[in-house]
Amino acid sequence: MEMKQEQLELIRHQLHRLQKAGGFYAKRLEGIDIDAIDSQQAFEKLPFTWKGDLRDAYPLGLQAVPDEEVVRIHSSSGTTGTPVIIPYTQQDVDDWAEMFSRCYSFAGVTNKDRIQITPGYGLWTAGIGFQLGCERLGAMAIPMGPGNTNKQLQMMIDMESTVLCATSSYALLLAEEIAKRGIKDKIKLKRGIIGSERWGEKMRRRIAEELGIELYDIYGLTEVYGPGIGINCKHNCGMHIWDDFIYIEIVDPKTGEVLPDGEPGELVITTLRKQGAPLIRYRTHDLTRIIPGKCACGSKFPRIDTIFGRTDDMVKVKGVNIFPSQIEALLSGIEGASSEYRFVIEHIDGKDTCRLSVEIEEGADRQDTAKRIGAAFKGKIGISVAVEAAAMGELPRSEKKSKRVFDNRE
Ligand code: ZN
């Protein structure tokens, strides 16, 4: 994607400031002549920032403003080791509110809506972000936080909530509960804003149908404000990203090379206006692609695709990047194929070969289904695989999150 002149100006301003501010980026940018960064090409030579860098800066090494300007911190849930602490200035909080409010507007939410917020409030950025955006929009926030399904449903009925903000799994749980209790006619929900998790098309359809609502995917990460830096519009073809606040690139996760629009790779984010803890070329580990062209809604904001997965899940075969969600999507479209599979890559006689074992549903013609899977794989992903049909329950299950892709090349 072409960098806009105003984005370049904001980045240069940011870099100048960071070089003088002390802390993490002063060191990172030492010896770099900022004035020479006068084009996208020059910008793309700047080093990446990694999650590990942010952890190493614990607790406040990222802070790029004096203490008196910091109004709060947030923290990413450190599933592995040290968490990341992000300081915010008042301007950062206001910018975040602005972006989040824009997300609601894109989803058709107005100041007449009543927004039931079920993500958690606290150190992490979820609940509080939904609340900020809601207040900025002027809608009524119903700040429930997670859990207590009885209370959630009671409030949803009594307050006549029109918008539900939730994770996909909690939205599904509420939808099922509403169906079970037969209270659907008392529910006034029109829209759901779903954040943070990767979720399949099947789950999406179930939630939308059970609740009879439109669903929107909101994108974001704590390191970059939090949820609210992008959302899909009603045309549901990717998420619009607020490129007046952040600059996005897609890079090859292995080489770091910037990829052309349309090609899948790792999302890299640079903040344009952030004060408390700006980020330059931050590797998100999220896999997506920039969707080329303009959206049918006419918005000027660029789009990224639904997140395909994390970079750790990806393998590269014969120059083609393959990730589990692609295989899952492919199998879900083939009659007779179950969702259980194993994908194995080996290096035999000087070349990479792929084997895909799939459990075939009872009653389906195994050979025929395998043939259709092979053709779809070649057609959609672009490489040939040997497909092996397995009986239901035949493939090994693991206790842990089922690992399905095995790269045995080394
Ligand atoms: Zn659109």
Side-chain angles (χ1 to χ4, degrees), residues 106 233-235 237 240 295-299 303:
F106 258 63
C233 66
K234 67 176 184 327
H235 294 275
C237 49
H240 288 281
C295 181
C297 74
S299 163
R303 287 169 297 156

Side-chain angles (χ1 to χ4, degrees), residues 48-179:
F48 292 114
T49 305
W50 301 84
K51 180 108 176 189
D53 295 329
L54 274 51
R55 282 206 198 95
D56 293 345
Y58 183 87
L60 284 170
L62 283 176
Q63 188 178 316
V65 293
D67 278 356
E68 59 268 32
E69 290 179 29
V70 175
V71 298
R72 67 157 87 143
I73 59 131
H74 282 292
S75 168
S76 70
S77 48
T79 42
T80 49
T82 319
V84 169
I85 304 284
I86 304 289
Y88 292 64
T89 66
Q90 187 56 51
Q91 179 69 48
D92 294 337
V93 173
D94 289 346
D95 287 348
W96 185 19
E98 181 61 32
M99 284 188 278
F100 213 123
S101 164
R102 200 187 281 169
C103 286
Y104 280 130
S105 297
F106 258 63
V109 180
T110 73
N111 58 6
K112 294 204 176 72
D113 277 297
R114 298 176 176 187
I115 306 181
Q116 185 154 341
I117 300 167
T118 72
Y121 287 72
L123 264 182
W124 70 317
T125 49
I128 207 161
F130 283 95
Q131 173 100 14
L132 259 181
C134 172
E135 290 175 355
R136 173 62 62 99
L137 182 70
M140 183 204 284
I142 306 167
M144 299 297 294
N148 200 344
T149 300
N150 281 331
K151 185 89 186 268
Q152 296 277 5
L153 294 175
Q154 193 60 53
M155 289 296 271
M156 197 179 281
I157 292 167
D158 295 346
M159 297 308 301
E160 303 187 353
S161 309
T162 55
V163 178
L164 173 68
C165 301
T167 61
S168 51
S169 41
Y170 197 54
L172 182 63
L173 187 146
L174 287 173
E176 285 171 341
E177 206 55 37
I178 287 165

